[in-house]
Amino acid sequence: MITQQASIKHADCDLYAREKVLNSAIIASDISSGWEEYLQIFDAFYADHVEVSDGTESGAVFGRERIRAVLLKFLVPIHVMAEIGGLSVKIRESPILGDTADETHSA
């Protein structure tokens, strides 16, 4: 039983570490240089069967290709405004406590 609990805690630590790397990669990216880096981050960290929701009643989007299309609709205009229009874009990460102990999310 101790081994099983240790492996679960190890998995939690690995997930937490991956989330930190993901957030760091997003924060370090520069949208004025292009949107491609964000798509590379998405491809590296998310599975083909990922589900994304914006928290509204419009429903969730399923699958990597459909989500890539949504990301492009969001990223391309921001890139153009940053590169041509001089828009300053900053991304920051804020931890959100989860419903259970030792669970966190990011905004």
Side-chain angles (χ1 to χ4, degrees), residues 57-107:
E57 294 183 19
S58 62
V61 179
F62 298 95
R64 184 181 283 175
E65 289 308 313
R66 290 185 65 202
I67 295 169
R68 284 176 66 89
V70 171
L71 280 173
L72 279 173
K73 286 181 184 177
F74 176 75
L75 292 172
V76 171
I78 293 175
H79 165 69
V80 170
M81 288 185 287
E83 184 181 42
I84 297 171
L87 176 72
S88 176
V89 178
K90 294 187 186 211
I91 299 175
R92 60 188 162 102
E93 181 258 343
S94 301
I96 301 171
L97 297 177
D99 295 334
T100 60
D102 299 328
E103 178 180 88
T104 59
H105 304 276
S106 297

Side-chain angles (χ1 to χ4, degrees), residues 3-32:
T3 305
Q4 184 179 12
Q5 288 176 347
S7 65
I8 291 171
K9 289 206 179 280
H10 179 69
D12 289 344
C13 289
D14 185 49
L15 184 60
Y16 178 75
R18 284 185 55 82
E19 183 177 352
K20 285 291 194 189
V21 171
L22 169 62
N23 289 338
S24 296
I26 292 169
I27 291 168
S29 297
D30 180 10
I31 191 69
S32 64

